[in-house]
Amino acid sequence: MVAEKSDALVLRAVEFSETSLVVTLFTRDFGKIGALAKGARRLKSPFESALDVLALCRIVFLHKSSGALDLLTEAKLLRRFRPAGRELFGLYAAYYVAELLGELTDEGDPHPELFDLADETLLGLAAGEPVARRVVRFELGALRLLGHMPSLQQCAECSAPVATAGRVAFGQLDGGVLCGRCRGGKTQVVSVTAGALRTMTQMADPRSRTWQRIEIDARTLGEIRGVLNGYITNLLGRKPRLHQYLGLLWRY
Ligand SMILES: [Zn+2]
């Protein structure tokens, strides 16, 4: 067994015995791992309080063979997540980031860019940036980096460009927008404005430095949420747990 090092975000921590925790971590270099932290619940723990959910830490762990839990040997706290102000939405959004990282990624499948995006998102939420926009930016970035980005401007079936005005069909099961010819016979098709699709395209652009200045009005946000909520629910095979807590935010 080789000792591996990485930065990691704590996604989950579950009591394992009177003294130990089983943690799910999203590491920058090794992707998601499940690890046993022996003694983590002791008063004088070798991990201090580095294993709180949403904390960023630097870890050392022993990589076990397939199936077995890895063994965490060190965790040094780099940053704890503290939401800005007294609003709970920032905290819910941070838990949602953890939920999506846990549900959309596989163990041992590293995605350093996704790690950096999650880290940046938590920093933004802690700094009190507008939550709804941060969530959309993270969702679209995560979908792109994991190869699930929906097609927003070309028909997902035949690649024909779709209308740039009015309403466009979006196939929740078809990987994106559909042209008039391809939409026939499809189920779970929603209608979305071309304007909302344009905003999503801008929000998804990884090279964009201007996305933080994009104003998303309530109607457009409602449309974007309709598309993303359905799309992500289909991808996971169930509704993300945090959607119910974030729902009020999306109704603004
Ligand atoms: Zn088509």
Side-chain angles (χ1 to χ4, degrees):
M1 277 187 298
V2 193
E4 308 279 15
K5 286 179 195 176
S6 185
D7 286 353
L9 285 168
V10 182
L11 305 183
R12 285 184 71 197
V14 179
E15 293 175 7
F16 178 72
S17 67
E18 255 171 55
T19 55
S20 301
L21 287 176
V22 169
V23 287
T24 306
L25 305 168
F26 188 66
T27 69
R28 190 172 194 282
D29 304 295
F30 304 91
K32 186 171 66 175
I33 65 166
L36 179 64
K38 283 186 184 164
R41 299 186 61 215
R42 285 208 190 99
L43 218 49
K44 283 201 175 225
S45 138
F47 309 105
E48 288 165 16
S49 52
L51 298 178
D52 289 346
V53 173
L54 301 174
L56 173 71
C57 47
R58 185 158 295 148
I59 61 162
V60 180
F61 68 103
L62 297 173
H63 206 26
K64 292 280 180 77
S65 56
S66 61
L69 281 172
D70 292 332
L71 191 66
L72 199 64
T73 56
E74 278 178 58
K76 186 169 168 278
L77 181 69
L78 298 178
R79 194 180 67 232
R80 199 186 299 286
F81 179 76
R82 284 192 208 289
R86 297 165 67 184
E87 279 264 6
L88 281 175
F89 289 123
L91 183 63
Y92 293 152
Y95 281 132
Y96 180 49
V97 166
E99 181 178 18
L100 287 187
L101 290 176
E103 296 292 322
L104 289 174
T105 67
D106 295 316
E107 286 201 8
D109 181 21
H111 289 281
E113 276 185 80
L114 178 58
F115 180 91
D116 294 341
L117 175 65
D119 187 38
E120 179 200 310
T121 304
L122 295 181
L123 272 174
L125 291 169
E129 288 179 15
V131 174
R133 199 167 50 191
R134 264 290 170 192
V135 169
V136 171
R137 176 73 175 177
F138 177 75
E139 290 169 311
L140 289 169
L143 292 174
R144 176 178 59 83
L145 293 167
L146 295 169
H148 298 301
M149 184 64 194
S151 181
L152 299 173
Q153 287 169 315
Q154 294 179 309
C155 175
E157 293 263 306
C158 74
S159 300
V162 295
T164 51
R167 302 192 76 86
V168 178
F170 185 100
Q172 298 284 23
L173 304 176
D174 306 289
V177 291
L178 295 166
C179 73
R181 268 180 319 185
C182 296
R183 87 159 279 175
K186 299 278 196 310
T187 56
Q188 297 205 38
V189 176
V190 294
S191 155
V192 58
T193 60
L197 291 171
R198 252 194 314 277
T199 303
M200 285 173 77
T201 304
Q202 291 172 322
M203 289 294 294
D205 183 354
R207 292 152 307 178
S208 164
R209 294 175 197 279
T210 56
W211 67 272
Q212 279 171 298
R213 293 204 290 276
I214 299 170
E215 288 293 334
I216 310 179
D217 61 69
R219 240 191 79 208
T220 305
L221 180 62
E223 296 231 29
I224 293 173
R225 289 306 343 153
V227 168
L228 283 177
N229 288 358
Y231 187 77
I232 290 171
T233 297
N234 272 313
L235 202 57
L236 298 186
R238 61 170 186 80
K239 196 174 144 153
R241 204 168 52 85
L242 264 302
H243 272 191
Q244 60 174 312
Y245 298 99
L246 286 165
L248 274 176
L249 170 73
W250 296 335
R251 247 174 268 149
Y252 285 164

